[in-house]
Amino acid sequence: MEPLIKINPGATKWDIRQRIWDYIEDKNLANFPRPVHHRIPNFKGAVQACDRLTVLQEFKSSQTIKINPDRPQQHARFVTLEAHKTLLVPTPRLRSGLFNKIVPPQGASKEQLRICSTSQGVKEFSVPIDLDAKVKVDLVVVGSVAVSEKGFRIGKGEGFADLEYAMMASMGAVDESIVVVTVVHDCQVVDIPEELMERHDLSVDYILTPSRVIKTNCLSPKPEGIIWTKLDTDKLEKIPILKKLLALEEQAGKDVTLGVAPPPAEPVSQPGPPKKQSRRRLRQKAARHDAHEESKEEKGVEPQLNAGPRLARVRKESRGNEVEGAERRRRKGRSGRNLKEKTPEDTGGEDLTPSKMPPSVTTVYLGGIPTGLRVSELKTSLREREAAPLRLTWQGAQHRAFLDYSNPEAAAKALEALQGLTLNGHSVQAELAKSQRRSKRPGPSNRKAEPAAAPASDVEVVDSKNEAHEQTEQ
């Protein structure tokens, strides 16, 4: 299959990264966080690509699997936990150790396992693995910025995946027979010149994309341990666990001579017209905003896995700005008119006025709804996937909708059914509404009231049977 992106002769690793990051942004192939520059891209279709992991014989026969903590590999972490395998996740930037073992509560539900597979769940429900631990890893899953069908891999440039593997090799957790898998978008599969690969670079054996599984048959040897001359004292200060590993290898008589820290990079002026520079500044601003939003999201998550089926229940006051704004408009109605709220077909046609709605619903967010789509088309798709909600809040002008389900289990089942949903040829994003992911503990909310998600004129509450309240985009 011809690569979607052509790499120019003589391109460097950085040139290839920049080419792919720009392509993904220009083609709108990524989900949050954006922009994707300097990240492992959270590409659209990551769930479908991660699902292909389960068909690999190497996955089926593995018991202990190490998966990187990046967002696009979140579903790979989920399917690993769902298959009752031991999941190891590296600590971010190796600040506090090598990796952690994720420990879900006994008898965890699917929704609880999904929480465990998120970045916040990794922090809350894991135990550290020490360098002295006798761990044997059967399979490694990494993210990539670029990868070739020959198995050559390029990361985001910080070297953590390579270093993590080298540390595992040094502690005897992996050997030359280990299988390495990467999960990427189809556009990230490009021709990488072999001469760009260095001794410390990690190669891959399988590439999983939304459309295919590629076995690379790569013959390049994987790192056998840490190449200390590639590191310097600054690196050791930033990653304390390296100091311990250096001491252990020095005691074993190995050469642990460090390299010399590179001189500080001189600022380079960026050529190009002012318009390009302005776009770059906007991207940097967007990156800071995304990082801030992601931090807020993670801090707001407070998983309660020991609470059993009540895990994802959300108090009315903690349902978030999008749902709160819609809820106020539901009560008031457009221009003072009351809107009747009804159930989908599976409720027997009973009208659910606000007083009859369940006291606590779980809301699913649908994003990326294409322009021109009618509510009836969305409802048809929901019924076909057996994911009809109790109530649907339509915000077509904002390209989104909110689906209310009676409990977390029903929402989780709907989420699973909606993965990979396309409408009019456009992929639609389905996930728990932001406030649902916070899963706050009982108690009054301390958050200030936030603006409504959309003007009242852009919101309609509809059901799967009655078209009377459908609003089409202008």
Side-chain angles (χ1 to χ4, degrees):
M1 179 176 174
E2 281 294 314
L4 295 174
I5 299 176
K6 300 295 184 183
I7 302 301
N8 296 328
T12 65
K13 285 184 178 179
W14 186 256
D15 293 334
I16 295 173
R17 292 185 188 104
Q18 195 67 38
R19 181 79 177 87
I20 289 176
W21 285 330
D22 288 345
Y23 184 92
I24 291 175
E25 280 296 329
D26 292 343
K27 300 295 184 181
N28 193 29
L29 299 177
N31 294 317
F32 175 87
R34 300 280 292 274
V36 298
H37 294 77
H38 308 286
R39 306 178 191 271
I40 299 296
N42 184 23
F43 60 94
K44 294 179 179 178
V47 170
Q48 294 91 318
C50 289
D51 270 333
R52 297 185 183 278
L53 184 65
T54 60
V55 306
L56 297 182
Q57 183 57 44
E58 289 83 352
F59 175 84
K60 296 175 182 178
S61 61
S62 295
Q63 181 53 45
T64 301
I65 302 176
K66 176 257 180 186
I67 304 179
N68 73 307
D70 293 315
R71 188 73 168 263
Q73 279 71 54
Q74 179 175 311
H75 191 67
R77 298 192 291 273
F78 166 71
V79 298
T80 297
L81 293 174
E82 188 181 34
H84 305 291
K85 298 180 185 295
T86 299
L87 173 61
L88 303 180
V89 179
T91 59
R93 309 185 77 82
L94 301 176
R95 283 187 290 260
S96 58
L98 178 50
F99 43 55
N100 294 331
K101 175 183 176 182
I102 311 306
V103 185
Q106 188 172 3
S109 66
K110 272 192 175 184
E111 186 59 31
Q112 292 169 327
L113 293 180
R114 289 188 192 280
I115 290 177
C116 285
S117 66
T118 65
S119 56
Q120 183 65 22
V122 168
K123 294 176 186 176
E124 296 288 337
F125 303 99
S126 62
V127 295
I129 301 296
D130 193 76
L131 284 175
D132 300 327
K134 301 299 181 183
V135 176
K136 182 65 171 68
V137 177
D138 303 311
L139 187 69
V140 172
V141 181
V142 297
S144 302
V145 173
V147 65
S148 78
E149 293 193 13
K150 295 181 179 179
F152 305 140
R153 172 191 174 273
I154 295 177
K156 61 179 179 285
E158 296 180 338
F160 283 106
D162 302 325
L163 187 55
E164 289 160 8
Y165 185 90
M167 292 171 71
M168 289 191 293
S170 295
M171 63 187 288
V174 296
D175 56 32
E176 66 278 357
S177 66
I178 192 73
V179 171
V180 178
V181 178
T182 192
V183 182
V184 296
H185 191 275
D186 287 281
C187 74
Q188 294 173 259
V189 183
V190 297
D191 292 328
I192 300 175
E194 186 172 359
E195 56 267 23
L196 290 181
M197 297 296 102
E198 301 178 69
R199 192 157 56 103
H200 67 276
D201 286 324
L202 179 63
S203 58
V204 303
D205 302 290
Y206 284 96
I207 303 169
L208 309 183
T209 79
S211 68
R212 56 183 176 148
V213 175
I214 304 169
K215 187 174 183 179
T216 68
N217 298 309
C218 186
L219 300 178
S220 296
K222 295 180 174 62
E224 297 178 356
I226 294 177
I227 303 173
W228 293 103
T229 53
K230 289 285 185 181
L231 306 177
D232 53 57
T233 53
D234 288 344
K235 199 75 167 179
L236 262 64
E237 290 300 323
K238 294 177 181 177
I239 306 177
I241 193 174
L242 281 175
K243 293 182 180 180
K244 183 176 181 180
L245 189 54
L246 182 144
L248 290 173
E249 296 210 345
E250 191 173 28
Q251 291 174 9
K254 296 183 179 180
D255 183 5
V256 293
T257 303
L258 296 175
V260 178
E266 292 291 333
V268 179
S269 60
Q270 297 289 342
K275 185 175 181 180
K276 293 285 185 181
Q277 295 174 359
S278 176
R279 178 186 292 181
R280 186 175 298 109
R281 287 195 295 271
L282 288 173
R283 283 177 174 172
Q284 291 170 349
K285 183 177 179 181
R288 290 193 295 271
H289 174 75
D290 278 351
H292 177 64
E293 289 299 313
E294 188 170 33
S295 174
K296 287 199 305 182
E297 177 182 325
E298 290 184 353
K299 288 178 181 178
V301 176
E302 198 168 326
Q304 302 175 45
L305 297 188
N306 294 328
R310 297 182 59 186
L311 167 74
R313 289 196 176 186
V314 181
R315 290 176 61 85
K316 190 174 186 179
E317 58 265 34
S318 69
R319 289 186 56 202
N321 59 317
E322 301 100 335
V323 182
E324 287 171 357
E327 192 67 36
R328 287 193 295 270
R329 289 187 289 276
R330 288 172 189 154
R331 296 192 189 103
K332 185 176 180 181
R334 294 179 62 205
S335 303
R337 290 181 288 115
N338 291 324
L339 294 178
K340 186 176 291 186
E341 299 166 343
K342 298 183 181 181
T343 64
E345 294 171 345
D346 57 5
T347 62
E350 178 188 0
D351 290 357
L352 283 191
T353 60
S355 62
K356 293 184 180 181
M357 285 292 291
S360 178
V361 298
T362 302
T363 303
V364 169
Y365 164 81
L366 282 186
I369 293 176
T371 301
L373 186 80
R374 296 177 61 85
V375 180
S376 57
E377 295 173 309
L378 173 59
K379 290 185 292 185
T380 297
S381 296
L382 295 177
R383 285 194 292 267
E384 288 175 350
R385 291 182 174 238
E386 298 183 356
L390 288 174
R391 178 172 56 194
L392 185 156
T393 302
W394 174 255
Q395 296 182 3
Q398 284 72 42
H399 306 288
R400 64 192 179 196
F402 295 93
L403 314 178
D404 289 343
Y405 295 92
S406 57
N407 54 52
E409 290 75 17
K413 182 179 178 181
L415 270 176
E416 188 171 358
L418 294 174
Q419 295 306 312
L421 174 64
T422 59
L423 299 171
N424 292 351
H426 291 75
S427 296
V428 176
Q429 174 188 0
E431 59 185 31
L432 286 177
K434 187 179 294 184
S435 57
Q436 306 290 289
R437 298 197 297 271
R438 293 194 182 99
S439 301
K440 290 186 178 180
R441 289 191 174 95
S445 172
N446 293 323
R447 296 179 62 223
K448 295 180 181 179
E450 298 182 15
S457 59
D458 292 330
V459 179
E460 287 292 343
V461 181
V462 297
D463 67 275
S464 61
K465 293 176 65 177
N466 193 332
E467 301 290 332
H469 299 135
E470 179 178 332
Q471 175 182 344
T472 58
E473 295 187 47
Q474 303 298 321

